[in-house]
Amino acid sequence: MATPSLRALHVHPVKSLAGHAPDEAVVEPWGLAGDRRWLLTGADGTVLTQRSVPGLARLRAVPLRDGGIEVTAPGREQLRAAVPDSGPTVPVKIFGDKVEAVPAGPAADAWFGARLGAGTRLLYLDDPAHRRPVDPAYGRPGETVSFADGYPLLLTTTASLRALNAWIAEGDHAHEGPLPMNRFRPNAVIGGTEPWEEDDWAAVRIGEVVFRVVKTCARCVITTTDQRTAERGREPLRTLARKRNAGGRLLFGQNLIPEGTGTLRLGDPVRVVARRSG
C-alpha cells in the first residue's frame, strides 16, 4: 500500500460558502489560515449555513492577499470585502455559542441581502485567539476555533470515501452516487490508507505539524447538498445511517486540533503518532 500522504487542502474563507483548494496552507492554532474567518447571519444574529440555506453552496469566496475576500455568485457582479477596521463588535449566535465579531459594512450587507434577504450581514472574526474556545470536553485550556462547526480542522480520507460510495452503489439511492469529497467540506484529505483507518488515530503528523485527532465528525444535512447545484438528495446520510451510525450520530471524517503551527503542502507524508486505546 502507498505511504499515506496529503492529497488535497481546502480553505473556506466564508462559512458555508464554496472555497478554494490551495497547494499549501499555514496551520494556525485555530485552523488553516483564512479558513472560516467570515460568516453570514440573518436578521436575528443567528449564523446562516447550508443547513437552512442550501443556495450558499453556489456562492464562492477566495482570499485576497490583504486578508480580505472576493465573493462571486452566478449572474451577479463580484463583491470585494476588506478586513474591517477594529471597532465595535456584535454578537453572533453559532450552535449554542455567542461569539463577538466585527461587521464587514453596509456594502457587503447589501450585496448579500439582495440575494439572501433583508437583514443579512457579513461578519469577521477579528481575534480568533480569544473569541471562541474549543469544547472543553475535547479541547485544552486556551485552545480556540474559528467559525468552523467546532474544531480547527476536519480530516477525511479517499479510501473511506471510496468505501462509502461502494455502499451507496448497493443501496436504494445508487443513482445519487458516487459522491465527491466536497460534500464533506474537509480541510485535509489523506490518501494511501485503508478505509476507516482514521477511526483509530489519536494523533497524526502531516508534514511538519502534529495534530490531536479528538472526535469523529457527526454529519448533517449539508452532506446531501450538491455543492454545484445546491440541490438535495438522500445520500450519504441514508447509507451512513445503516453503516456508520453511533447512537444516531452518522460518522464520516475526524476533527483535529493542532499541537503546533507550520505549513501543510500537497504530498506531505502522513504518519500516525498515536492510536486510540480500546
Side-chain angles (χ1 to χ4, degrees):
M1 189 174 66
T3 300
S5 64
L6 180 62
R7 300 293 175 84
L9 286 164
H10 297 280
V11 175
H12 304 89
V14 181
K15 185 175 181 64
S16 256
L17 270 59
H20 72 125
D23 291 336
E24 62 180 50
V26 173
V27 178
E28 298 175 329
W30 41 84
L32 297 183
D35 187 61
R36 296 170 170 95
R37 289 289 295 275
W38 305 74
L39 57 58
L40 297 165
T41 63
D44 64 352
T46 299
V47 62
L48 297 179
T49 74
Q50 289 184 39
R51 291 168 175 81
S52 58
V53 189
L56 293 178
R58 302 193 68 206
L59 280 63
R60 178 172 300 278
V62 297
L64 303 174
R65 289 190 175 184
D66 62 0
I69 52 172
E70 182 178 275
V71 186
T72 56
R76 293 212 58 200
E77 292 186 3
Q78 67 186 25
L79 167 72
R80 284 199 168 207
V83 172
D85 295 332
S86 296
T89 61
V90 297
V92 175
K93 290 178 280 187
I94 176 171
F95 311 139
D97 296 336
K98 186 171 285 188
V99 183
E100 295 293 321
V102 181
D109 295 347
W111 192 93
F112 282 105
R115 187 170 186 87
L116 302 173
T120 304
R121 303 187 79 179
L122 177 66
L123 301 169
Y124 177 73
L125 185 64
D126 62 327
D127 188 7
H130 299 97
R131 294 291 187 201
R132 189 176 177 221
V134 171
D135 182 347
Y138 298 94
R140 296 169 180 167
E143 290 182 330
T144 60
V145 61
S146 66
F147 284 137
D149 278 5
Y151 301 91
L153 281 86
L154 176 65
L155 175 150
T156 59
T157 69
T158 57
S160 294
L161 180 61
R162 286 196 301 270
L164 175 60
N165 277 325
W167 288 336
I168 291 172
E170 297 169 353
D172 55 5
H173 282 69
H175 61 282
E176 293 188 22
L179 302 183
M181 190 66 85
N182 67 6
R183 289 290 187 96
F184 302 94
R185 299 177 63 82
N187 296 114
V189 180
I190 307 303
T193 70
E194 294 290 341
W196 318 115
E197 179 183 337
E198 65 275 19
D199 287 351
D200 295 328
W201 296 350
V204 61
R205 178 186 293 275
I206 306 174
E208 61 189 35
V209 185
V210 173
F211 300 87
R212 300 195 326 274
V213 185
V214 294
K215 186 175 184 290
T216 307
C217 187
R219 309 315 305 218
C220 71
V221 70
I222 290 176
T223 59
T224 69
T225 306
D226 187 312
Q227 296 294 297
R228 294 178 300 104
T229 66
E231 296 177 355
R232 280 194 171 145
R234 301 292 298 277
E235 295 292 0
L237 295 186
R238 191 174 181 87
T239 295
L240 290 175
R242 292 187 293 110
K243 297 287 193 176
R244 297 276 297 170
N245 190 333
R249 298 173 65 252
L250 311 184
L251 306 178
F252 188 91
Q254 299 291 331
N255 290 296
L256 308 183
I257 298 176
E259 293 277 78
T261 58
T263 300
L264 302 183
R265 299 175 178 86
L266 297 189
D268 275 348
V270 175
R271 183 171 67 86
V272 178
V273 175
R275 296 186 181 275
R276 293 171 178 165
S277 59

